[in-house]
Amino acid sequence: ITGFSSIERKSVGHMLNMRACALRYATQNNAKYPNLSLIVAHMGGGITLSLHVGGRVVDMISDDEGPFAPERSGGLPCFQLAEMATQDGVTFPEMMRRMQRKGGLMDWFGTSTRGKSSAASTRVTGRPRWFTRPWPTIWRKISASSPW
């Protein structure tokens, strides 16, 4: 469900990879997948998150809704996005390219590669170097007191 009745959330992501990672986590921790509640992150050019409860994926945040990533813009303030999309004759394909391939670190630093962006940040932008740390792999078991 979304704030517009005409827009439906679509669960599009790396489902097979995230399920395989959840199963591997269960095996490595001598646990049964159906007994776990996990948040799994697929981190590549974009970041997709999924919530696994009782052996099922019950929710997913696609790379267009979540945090910005090496190439994805992630969730954006809708008023500013609407303004950007309607100015200067920007076409739908160009807007999609901006959000899917030219957003995130690519927009800020001109590269989606951590090593290159570290050197470029000091030389070109003078921006903080927080992004030089490796992207963390997120695995978190939700506590037993969780509502899920």
Side-chain angles (χ1 to χ4, degrees):
I1 188 167
T2 71
F4 278 126
S5 61
S6 59
I7 297 178
E8 185 177 317
R9 283 185 73 215
K10 296 179 182 177
S11 293
V12 178
H14 303 276
M15 190 53 60
L16 294 176
N17 174 267
M18 290 189 290
R19 182 170 164 76
C21 288
L23 290 167
R24 184 175 351 142
Y25 175 84
T27 301
Q28 290 173 346
N29 289 278
N30 296 317
K32 294 183 179 182
Y33 176 60
N35 296 337
L36 296 174
S37 293
L38 300 168
I39 294 173
V40 180
H42 177 92
M43 298 170 66
I47 298 174
T48 303
L49 305 166
S50 59
L51 174 62
H52 301 239
V53 178
R56 297 181 56 224
V57 177
V58 296
D59 199 6
M60 178 163 38
I61 298 173
S62 301
D63 63 4
D64 64 334
E65 295 180 278
F68 78 87
E71 297 178 354
R72 306 293 194 280
S73 62
L76 296 169
C78 59
F79 296 154
Q80 293 170 354
L81 180 61
E83 182 181 7
M84 176 188 263
T86 57
Q87 67 185 351
D88 301 328
V90 177
T91 64
F92 180 77
E94 175 56 24
M95 203 59 210
M96 290 302 292
R97 254 190 314 283
R98 285 183 185 179
M99 292 186 296
Q100 292 183 326
R101 296 286 176 237
K102 296 180 179 181
L105 295 181
M106 182 63 83
D107 182 57
W108 279 95
F109 304 107
T111 181
S112 61
T113 306
R114 187 176 73 83
K116 293 178 185 176
S117 59
S118 174
S121 70
T122 327
R123 194 174 62 250
V124 178
T125 66
R127 289 190 163 89
R129 295 171 51 154
W130 58 266
F131 60 88
T132 61
R133 291 184 219 123
W135 289 93
T137 301
I138 301 169
W139 278 106
R140 180 173 169 228
K141 182 177 180 184
I142 302 172
S143 69
S145 62
S146 167
W148 296 292

